């Protein structure tokens, strides 16, 4: 099955393709002639996932899905949350975001955090939402070079390594996005039958 995924992030694409397996061929917006930035202007993960998927469906008429993810840190009242990509700057500057997160948690003993992903699927014009969550904690300094974003600072519960110290396969065993994508895949498999 071919399905359009609203991302041009190569890491995300790889993670999601690994969870979906060879039965699904993921297309990117660029593959379908969508080269402009896809709008995400909402104040919730659900709102942004939905806006991205609906936009892409409007532009292409194809079945598609979009995800939106936030890192929700307990001691920061759930920040950066929906603002995770642009926490420190207007761009997607992972280094600056991680530095700001550590600054804002300096001296803080409560390091609890979770990643939450929401996926919006538009299938035959109808929308379906899926959620994935992984609980964990933020450490004091970056560890590891795999993955992207806040991965070097996040250790999921039950592990002693950050996501950035894991292979894609290991991260996918527990990650927020993989959990949401497995729900999406189960839904797509069920309706294919
Ligand atoms: P997006 O909505 O999926 O693009 O995610 C927003 C921001 O959250 C990204 O720019 C990253 O900083 C962060 N993020 C999303 N997914 C992950 C992940 O799997 N690991 C670490 N950071 C992530």
């Amino acid at each position: 099955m071919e399905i359009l995924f609203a991302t041009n992030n190569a890491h995300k694409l790889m993670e999601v393709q690994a969870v979906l397996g060879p039965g699904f061929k993921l297309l990117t917006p660029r593959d379908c002639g969508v080269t402009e930035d896809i709008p995400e202007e909402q104040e919730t993960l659900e709102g942004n996932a939905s806006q991205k998927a609906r936009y892409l469906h409007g532009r292409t008429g194809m079945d598609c899905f979009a995800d939106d993810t936030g890192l929700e840190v307990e001691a920061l009242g759930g920040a950066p949350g929906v603002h995770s990509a642009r926490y420190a700057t207007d761009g997607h500057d992972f280094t600056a975001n991680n530095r700001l997160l550590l600054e804002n948690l300096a001296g803080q003993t409560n390091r609890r955090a979770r990643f939450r992903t929401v996926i919006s699927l538009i299938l035959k014009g109808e929308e379906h939402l899926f959620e994935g969550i992984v609980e964990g904690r933020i450490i004091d300094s970056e560890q590891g070079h795999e993955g992207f974003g806040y991965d070097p600072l996040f250790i999921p519960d039950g592990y002693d390594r950050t996501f950035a110290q894991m292979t894609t396969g290991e991260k996918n065993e527990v990650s927020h996005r993989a959990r949401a994508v497995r729900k999406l895949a189960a839904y797509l498999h069920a309706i294919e039958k």
Side-chain angles (χ1 to χ4, degrees), residues 78-96:
V82 72
H83 304 292
S84 292
R86 297 183 177 82
Y87 189 35
T89 69
D90 229 16
H92 294 244
D93 186 337
F94 297 148
T95 308

Side-chain angles (χ1 to χ4, degrees), residues 2-5 7-8 13 25-35 60 62:
E2 277 197 351
I3 189 158
L4 173 56
F5 177 29
T7 192
N8 289 311
L13 203 60
K25 181 170 189 296
L26 289 178
L27 302 173
T28 66
R30 269 188 219 122
D31 293 332
C32 303
V34 179
T35 51
T60 64
M62 294 173 65

